[in-house]
Amino acid sequence: DARCLLRRCPLLEVVDLCGNNLSFSPEDEDPVPSSPSWPRMEHITKADFRHCNLEQEDEEALLEALPSSATVQFRVVVEGAGQHATHAAAGGATARGHVVFDDSSDED
């Protein structure tokens, strides 16, 4: 669980969990409370939580756990998407661009 990892690494300065599903789903074998507390992360300067399926409550809790000076990304701004474009960032940051994931499957 990401929360446990962050608790064990209190001196982290950058967190990049982009693309990791941090939300609870009913299929999870070991359910986690819907809104467990995020640890205080006083040394974080940058945090990327794009594409993590976080609920609004989690985003608010994360912002409370991080320094107000940290640059935090929750969503990607899609240029030309009009009213569907959305972003949430602290520290005045704007997330733009594409997220690319490498395929880890073996291809022969």
Side-chain angles (χ1 to χ4, degrees), residues 13 20 26 37 47 55 65 78-79 91:
E13 294 179 4
N20 289 283
S37 65
E55 299 292 329
V78 180
E79 291 185 31

Side-chain angles (χ1 to χ4, degrees), residues 51 74-88 95:
H51 305 285
F74 290 115
R75 294 182 184 84
V76 176
V77 174
V78 180
E79 291 185 31
Q83 67 184 22
H84 300 292
T86 180
H87 76 284

Side-chain angles (χ1 to χ4, degrees), residues 15-81:
V15 174
D16 189 350
L17 294 173
C18 176
N20 289 283
N21 187 355
L22 301 179
S23 68
F24 168 74
S25 101
E27 294 86 33
D28 290 341
E29 291 180 18
D30 189 17
V32 182
S34 62
S35 222
S37 65
W38 288 91
R40 296 283 313 150
M41 296 173 270
E42 297 174 3
H43 298 281
I44 296 291
T45 59
K46 294 180 183 179
D48 187 349
F49 295 101
R50 292 174 294 154
H51 305 285
C52 289
N53 298 322
L54 291 168
E55 299 292 329
Q56 181 70 31
E57 294 138 2
D58 282 316
E59 291 177 6
E60 292 170 3
L62 276 164
L63 289 175
E64 289 178 19
L66 295 165
S68 61
S69 60
T71 300
V72 183
Q73 296 178 313
F74 290 115
R75 294 182 184 84
V76 176
V77 174
V78 180
E79 291 185 31

